[in-house]
Amino acid sequence: MDSLALSCLILLSLPLLPFLSAANIPLGSTLSSTSNNSSWISPSRDFAFGFRQLNNNSDLFLLAIWFNKIPERTIIWHANEDNHPVLAPRGSTLELTATGLQLKDPGGQAIWDEKPNKIVSDAATLDTGNFVLIASGNNSDYAWQSFKSPTDTILPTQILDLGSVLVSRLTETNFSKGRFELHFSNGSLLLIPVAWPTPFQYKSYYTSDTYSANSFESGHQLVFNESADIYIKKNNGQIVQLPQWNRLSPIADHYFRATLDFDGVFTEYAYPKNSAPNQSWFTIRRLPNNICTAISDEFGSGACGFNSYCLLQNGRPFCECPPGYLFVDPTNIFSGCKPNYSQGCGPDDGSRNAEELYEMRELANVNWPFGDYERLEPYDQTECETSCLHDCLCAVAIYNNARQCWKKRFPLSLGTYDNAGTGFTKALIKVRKGGFPVDFDGNTCGKKGIPILLGALLLGSSVFFNGLLLLAISLLVFVWRKRKDGKKVQRSSISETNLRFFSLAELNEATNGFEDELGRGSFGIVYKGVLKSASGNAVAVKKLDKLAQEREREFKTEVSAIGRTHHKNLVQLLGFCDEGLNRLLVYEFMGNGTLANLLFAIPRPDWSLRVRISLEIARGLLYLHEECNIPIIHCDIKPQNILLDQDFTAKISDFGLSKLLLSDQSRTRTVIRGTRGYVAPEWFKNVPVSAKVDVYSFGVVLLEIICCRRSVEMELEEERSAILTDWAYDCYVEGRLDVLVDNDKAAMADKSRVRKWLMTALWCVQEDPLKRPTTKMIVQILEGYLEVPSPPMPPLYSLQLTEN
Ligand SMILES: *[C@@H]1O[C@H](CO)[C@@H](O)[C@H](O)[C@H]1NC(C)=O
Ligand SMILES: *[C@@H]1O[C@H](CO)[C@@H](O)[C@H](O)[C@H]1NC(C)=O
Ligand SMILES: *[C@@H]1O[C@H](CO)[C@@H](O)[C@H](O)[C@H]1NC(C)=O
Ligand SMILES: *[C@@H]1O[C@H](CO)[C@@H](O)[C@H](O)[C@H]1NC(C)=O
Ligand SMILES: *[C@@H]1O[C@H](CO)[C@@H](O)[C@H](O)[C@H]1NC(C)=O
Ligand SMILES: *[C@@H]1O[C@H](CO)[C@@H](O)[C@H](O)[C@H]1NC(C)=O
Ligand SMILES: *[C@@H]1O[C@H](CO)[C@@H](O)[C@H](O)[C@H]1NC(C)=O
Ligand SMILES: *[C@@H]1O[C@H](CO)[C@@H](O)[C@H](O)[C@H]1NC(C)=O
Ligand SMILES: *[C@@H]1O[C@H](CO)[C@@H](O)[C@H](O)[C@H]1NC(C)=O
């Protein structure tokens, strides 16, 4: 039986053997671009040569070589014609003949060919990743090889001779000719930006400096040797290491490649050869070390597009727009930025007061070194701001602590953010007022102030009426400014949210250099501060952790949505700071700390206070869930996120942040780790979450308020009493309310409420979200307008905790 099965297996695999074997590819062989598996694979199966679908939804195929054993199937070479990738429609065929390779479309028309000047006998995909056409009559003579016409990648054992060029892709996934080139043509390795789409070359941003007038001493080959070192070999045989190129400590059992990446960084990567899952390419070393500052030609935009600035993150360039600017192509951060308004010297701007139209925003440690048309000194910062504000040619001013004010015109180029900056140099950006946040559709929370109403009227009324309104607005604004402190008016944003824009320097001053730490929340550290400009108000300044990357651009939108919420049981957001990589939120200060501090302290707080706080939390939550047009799901309700003001009024904090700070993939893990014991079961199940996750967490918090104990108490011996929901259910079933409230006299005198609220909480922590009450029902129950039926047993939470 066994041997029969075995021979069946052998028979079955026989037809495949020629395909798998190490034998060279004979003349007359063809590949067709109809399926993914159409390829010629190297003997070790490490590399494959063949067709690759351009992207999963495309009928176009690339003729390419790729790493065949790793899940990414990373492409290291593709057929090019005049620097354009050769795109073969579905059904094209590649044929190997004595004259070389011919690629024909389904209609038989030639698309591409490779005709070496020697007769070809056969071909092979080698285990090095080199695809070779073997010359007739001499097995070690290659009529053509992919290693001698590289695209953007080189591999170990590959040697570039003088005259070689690598061209970067346009983007990670677009194989068209990109904006950077690597040249090894005159003894030196050069990295050069080009004036895309033309071939014009700017000044190089890296050189190995291995050229010598004495040809014997000059660089001759760029060698990527078997042990993954990359160096230059001179004509005299001497080996020269590349400057700035970190020394390589040998790594065994890895794949290697070096790629001129689309962002201009020449990077050597490694990938573990073992078959463990979740591997990826990692960087061994790169050139240049800081591309943001390395590119310095006065022409061209630099590493990022015009009007943007470059931030170095993990050695790679990352582009950002200044405040009030948007990416030209929102899907491509390298596309440059444009102001979200027209700025110029037109009649519109001339006839109005500059202060009414524009304001200056500060961006510390950002500079655009070129494009100056005026240098004013000695000037203080206010003079510099005013000068730019009133100058219709001025887009940005750079101010430094040498009291110099450099006025810049469009377009801004070579913008960089200095990671090691001290704040001595800052960009002052001229921004049209009211450009942010623009939102007249009204589908957000909270009351809208007068300015937005006027704004809406302005949109649809006559010129005359406009004039009247303008006058009215000016008056209003004037009065408003008079009432506030006049000094900082230029930088505060009078938007419908009344959110203020704070500079980092201002917050630094207010918090005394971020000295007094109030606490560490799920999203960052909170500091106490006192605003100098306002009436000495105490504030809490929350320094956010790094945003989920895809959220960075949503920051202002999200923050303005949070800013539009107004409820006495929500902590009020006063303003924010968005400078460089810093994202800070400024909240009203809450004098009595968190509910957690109150609840788990000795002696336990009064029952009547606990009753009031429960109701306040429920009302705050009801507002978030049902009284805004777009419901805000908190996702992290717990006693640490309920704050108490000087009158012990409970206010929910940190709402609206989970959306911003947790990227979709990471949120499950983060939340589970961060707030074990409060998370609804659906978080574990990867199903869409709704406001019912907050209902679940509220249920747990309500139990904690009733019992004055934490949801999970691991030090308790018995597992079932360690988990509050399990223990509370047991007490409920056994009618042991006295145990639950630890014989609290006031609570026992209010037994019917304790019982009813306990039942409510147990309904809230049901496994099925549909069984849980809505927030509205909760408020009605707690206020005594609705009765509660007997709750079923909640899920065994303890099991779920151990499973994960
Ligand atoms: C090609 O690959 C894709 C994804 O890798 C797969 O979904 C598809 O079925 C494959 N097509 C063929 C013909 O094998
Ligand atoms: C590709 O896969 C298809 C279907 O799985 C198979 O019929 C075909 O023979 C394969 N081609 C090669 C070259 O392996
Ligand atoms: C293509 O694949 C990517 C990821 O592999 C996926 O995100 C995208 O939705 C797919 N596109 C189409 C049109 O299937
Ligand atoms: C075969 O080709 C190799 C490499 O080009 C060359 O070194 C060698 O001399 C050739 N042998 C013959 C017999 O021509
Ligand atoms: C790649 O970019 C070029 C130039 O912008 C564009 O013409 C081409 O359509 C892009 N290709 C793909 C597959 O998106
Ligand atoms: C090669 O580079 C050197 C110095 O970088 C330069 O002086 C020389 O003119 C270059 N030669 C050619 C042919 O470009
Ligand atoms: C590669 O080059 C390094 C020196 O740069 C040398 O130490 C190493 O032995 C070389 N490896 C091979 C296989 O030649
Ligand atoms: C690999 O990644 C997937 C999804 O990111 C994850 O579910 C899986 O647990 C990971 N496996 C290992 C071994 O890390
Ligand atoms: C400015 O940006 C907002 C969204 O960010 C957009 O709705 C508005 O139309 C833009 N204004 C102009 C003048 O482009």
Side-chain angles (χ1 to χ4, degrees):
M1 187 65 190
D2 265 343
S3 70
L4 186 69
L6 193 66
S7 48
C8 280
L9 206 69
I10 291 170
L11 275 178
L12 269 177
S13 41
L14 262 182
L16 282 176
L17 273 181
F19 180 70
L20 295 175
S21 81
N24 288 355
I25 299 133
L27 295 185
S29 299
T30 60
L31 285 177
S32 146
S33 64
T34 44
S35 63
N36 307 337
N37 62 356
S38 191
S39 59
W40 292 326
I41 295 172
S42 76
S44 66
R45 306 189 65 82
D46 281 339
F47 291 94
F49 169 93
F51 289 105
R52 281 287 296 273
Q53 216 165 4
L54 191 56
N55 52 53
N56 45 12
N57 194 25
S58 156
D59 272 337
L60 292 175
F61 290 76
L62 215 53
L63 186 60
I65 301 173
W66 60 89
F67 281 95
N68 187 51
K69 273 190 187 163
I70 66 174
E72 287 92 333
R73 305 274 189 275
T74 310
I75 290 180
I76 51 104
W77 178 90
H78 61 269
N80 255 334
E81 181 87 64
D82 298 333
N83 266 325
H84 291 294
V86 173
L87 299 177
R90 183 180 290 278
S92 303
T93 44
L94 179 79
E95 188 178 9
L96 176 67
T97 67
T99 58
L101 290 169
Q102 283 85 42
L103 176 60
K104 292 186 174 140
D105 71 11
Q109 289 285 348
I111 309 175
W112 176 82
D113 53 27
E114 191 54 65
K115 284 205 176 90
N117 49 22
K118 286 183 184 165
I119 303 293
V120 174
S121 65
D122 50 1
T125 308
L126 304 182
D127 285 339
T128 54
N130 194 7
F131 179 76
V132 298
L133 302 181
I134 296 161
S136 182
N138 181 348
N139 257 345
S140 47
D141 189 15
Y142 300 147
W144 180 87
Q145 50 179 316
S146 60
F147 269 16
K148 292 293 175 212
S149 41
T151 49
D152 59 355
T153 298
I154 54 176
L155 296 174
T157 73
Q158 189 163 0
I159 291 171
L160 295 188
D161 298 317
L162 288 179
S164 300
V165 179
L166 302 186
V167 180
S168 74
R169 296 176 196 170
L170 189 56
T171 67
E172 198 94 56
T173 51
N174 187 326
F175 289 82
S176 294
K177 170 185 154 55
R179 300 186 297 131
F180 302 95
E181 292 176 357
L182 178 153
H183 286 251
F184 183 67
S185 40
N186 183 15
S188 280
L189 182 161
L190 298 178
L191 298 177
I192 302 173
V194 297
W196 193 88
T198 75
F200 177 78
Q201 295 171 2
Y202 297 125
K203 218 165 78 186
S204 66
Y205 55 95
Y206 174 82
T207 170
S208 64
D209 267 329
T210 41
Y211 165 81
S212 166
N214 172 354
S215 76
F216 202 59
E217 303 258 290
S218 198
H220 167 63
Q221 285 181 325
L222 181 69
V223 178
F224 195 161
N225 84 0
E226 252 168 282
S227 37
D229 205 9
I230 301 178
Y231 51 79
I232 285 173
K233 203 167 168 184
K234 290 188 172 178
N235 272 330
N236 61 10
Q238 195 193 341
I239 285 174
V240 186
Q241 296 294 330
L242 297 170
Q244 294 178 39
W245 190 234
N246 299 334
R247 293 296 304 167
L248 182 71
S249 34
I251 333 178
D253 295 324
H254 279 66
Y255 293 112
F256 296 96
R257 69 181 165 101
T259 302
L260 179 62
D261 281 316
F262 77 96
D263 54 20
V265 183
F266 182 60
T267 313
E268 184 174 357
Y269 293 96
Y271 193 108
K273 272 190 182 173
N274 62 40
S275 54
N278 293 2
Q279 309 279 17
S280 63
W281 288 104
F282 60 92
T283 300
I284 310 180
R285 41 190 181 168
R286 60 174 75 88
L287 289 175
N289 287 320
N290 184 347
I291 194 172
C292 291
T293 52
I295 300 183
S296 62
D297 196 306
E298 64 177 304
F299 296 110
S301 65
C304 290
F306 287 111
N307 300 335
S308 57
Y309 62 94
C310 180
L311 276 157
L312 199 69
Q313 287 188 348
N314 298 324
R316 311 220 75 97
F318 186 84
C319 310
E320 287 229 30
C321 289
Y325 288 59
L326 301 169
F327 285 110
V328 172
D329 170 1
T331 64
N332 179 5
I333 62 165
F334 291 89
S335 62
C337 307
K338 55 175 196 257
N340 178 16
Y341 53 85
S342 62
Q343 178 173 313
C345 294
D348 169 48
D349 302 285
S351 63
R352 282 153 151 202
N353 188 346
E355 269 94 357
E356 269 173 28
L357 286 170
Y358 299 106
E359 60 186 333
M360 301 300 288
R361 298 267 184 91
E362 194 180 306
L363 210 50
N365 302 324
V366 170
N367 194 2
W368 288 271
F370 292 104
D372 311 298
Y373 66 92
E374 191 145 57
R375 166 177 159 177
L376 304 163
E377 67 180 319
Y379 250 40
D380 66 22
Q381 186 175 336
T382 312
E383 288 171 316
C384 185
E385 288 178 2
T386 312
S387 169
C388 184
L389 205 59
H390 287 266
D391 180 347
C392 62
L393 295 171
C394 179
V396 162
I398 302 293
Y399 187 74
N400 63 29
N401 70 333
R403 296 171 61 82
Q404 291 171 326
C405 175
W406 308 76
K407 290 207 271 182
K408 311 264 176 189
R409 63 166 84 83
F410 280 134
L412 306 162
S413 62
L414 302 187
T416 51
Y417 173 84
D418 182 357
N419 295 42
T422 51
F424 286 153
T425 297
K426 51 186 98 171
L428 306 167
I429 321 274
K430 186 151 110 190
V431 177
R432 184 114 180 180
K433 276 187 188 173
F436 149 72
V438 185
D439 181 7
F440 293 118
D441 55 11
N443 58 1
T444 34
C445 292
K447 296 177 232 113
K448 301 228 157 41
I450 293 169
I452 191 172
L453 278 178
L454 290 179
L457 280 173
L458 262 175
L459 285 180
S461 51
S462 73
V463 178
F464 172 66
F465 196 46
N466 274 353
L468 278 181
L469 272 171
L470 252 181
L471 201 72
I473 292 173
S474 309
L475 264 171
L476 263 176
V477 169
F478 181 72
V479 170
W480 186 84
R481 279 184 190 174
K482 274 260 154 183
R483 280 174 44 202
K484 293 251 173 181
D485 177 279
K487 210 169 159 211
K488 293 279 194 230
V489 156
Q490 284 197 351
R491 261 181 275 140
S492 59
S493 150
I494 311 164
S495 63
E496 72 273 34
T497 61
N498 284 330
L499 280 186
R500 242 190 82 182
F501 177 83
F502 292 87
S503 73
L504 192 57
E506 236 174 315
L507 293 182
N508 196 30
E509 197 194 350
T511 57
N512 206 359
F514 299 100
E515 193 188 33
D516 191 355
E517 204 179 293
L518 288 173
R520 284 166 188 260
S522 352
F523 305 115
I525 305 178
V526 188
Y527 301 89
K528 185 172 181 177
V530 176
L531 289 187
K532 300 280 184 294
S533 51
S535 45
N537 278 342
V539 291
V541 178
K542 172 163 279 211
K543 212 171 185 178
L544 294 184
D545 292 334
K546 236 189 96 38
L547 300 194
Q549 214 166 61
E550 67 273 43
R551 304 288 186 227
E552 284 195 5
R553 266 172 264 160
E554 292 169 38
F555 179 75
K556 285 179 184 161
T557 326
E558 290 302 324
V559 163
S560 67
I562 297 171
R564 271 187 285 265
T565 55
H566 293 280
H567 190 274
K568 68 176 192 307
N569 299 121
L570 300 180
V571 177
Q572 185 63 45
L573 180 68
L574 303 174
F576 66 96
C577 166
D578 177 26
E579 249 179 42
L581 283 178
N582 297 293
R583 308 279 193 273
L584 297 103
L585 299 176
V586 181
Y587 288 100
E588 59 177 325
F589 181 73
M590 304 292 286
N592 273 312
T594 71
L595 175 61
N597 291 345
L598 179 79
L599 213 50
F600 309 128
I602 298 171
R604 44 175 62 195
D606 274 5
W607 172 246
S608 61
L609 176 59
R610 277 142 66 198
V611 167
R612 175 160 69 80
I613 287 174
S614 309
L615 265 165
E616 287 168 342
I617 301 170
R619 288 183 189 133
L621 209 51
L622 176 61
Y623 176 87
L624 286 179
H625 287 173
E626 296 188 38
E627 289 169 9
C628 310
N629 290 353
I630 298 173
I632 296 180
I633 305 178
H634 190 294
C635 296
D636 203 12
I637 291 285
K638 55 180 177 179
Q640 290 79 2
N641 280 338
I642 314 288
L643 302 183
L644 303 163
D645 72 3
Q646 69 282 6
D647 304 315
F648 288 94
T649 302
K651 301 192 180 209
I652 299 173
S653 80
D654 276 2
F655 51 89
L657 293 188
S658 56
K659 185 176 172 204
L660 199 59
L661 286 134
L662 306 180
S663 70
D664 286 337
Q665 307 97 306
S666 71
R667 75 177 169 188
T668 316
R669 256 178 290 145
T670 312
V671 171
I672 288 170
R673 203 188 300 126
T675 52
R676 220 157 107 105
Y678 301 96
V679 291
E682 55 264 39
W683 281 111
F684 297 88
K685 293 183 188 154
N686 229 351
V687 297
V689 299
S690 68
K692 291 290 182 71
V693 299
D694 287 348
V695 169
Y696 185 97
S697 308
F698 175 80
V700 178
V701 172
L702 185 55
L703 286 176
E704 289 182 309
I705 294 176
I706 293 171
C707 309
C708 286
R709 63 153 273 196
R710 293 173 204 276
S711 63
V712 183
E713 281 194 341
M714 277 310 172
E715 56 290 353
L716 288 185
E717 300 253 333
E718 209 197 320
E719 203 192 8
R720 217 164 146 74
S721 48
I723 307 297
L724 179 57
T725 49
D726 298 352
W727 180 63
Y729 184 74
D730 292 351
C731 291
Y732 165 72
V733 172
E734 293 160 19
R736 303 293 312 275
L737 296 189
D738 50 335
V739 177
L740 210 57
V741 296
D742 199 13
N743 290 312
D744 185 324
K745 284 208 183 74
M748 286 320 290
D750 197 4
K751 213 166 176 173
S752 67
R753 192 202 305 264
V754 173
R755 192 182 153 75
K756 187 170 170 184
W757 286 21
L758 172 61
M759 287 158 74
T760 314
L762 291 170
W763 275 109
C764 289
V765 297
Q766 290 301 311
E767 175 156 31
D768 181 357
L770 294 176
K771 281 196 187 153
R772 295 175 208 151
T774 64
T775 321
K776 178 141 213 159
M777 286 160 79
I778 293 173
V779 171
Q780 288 172 337
I781 295 168
L782 298 191
E783 287 177 342
Y785 298 120
L786 210 63
E787 285 312 314
V788 201
S790 186
M793 190 164 105
L796 287 176
Y797 204 86
S798 42
L799 283 182
Q800 291 200 350
L801 278 177
T802 43
E803 257 172 30
N804 274 270

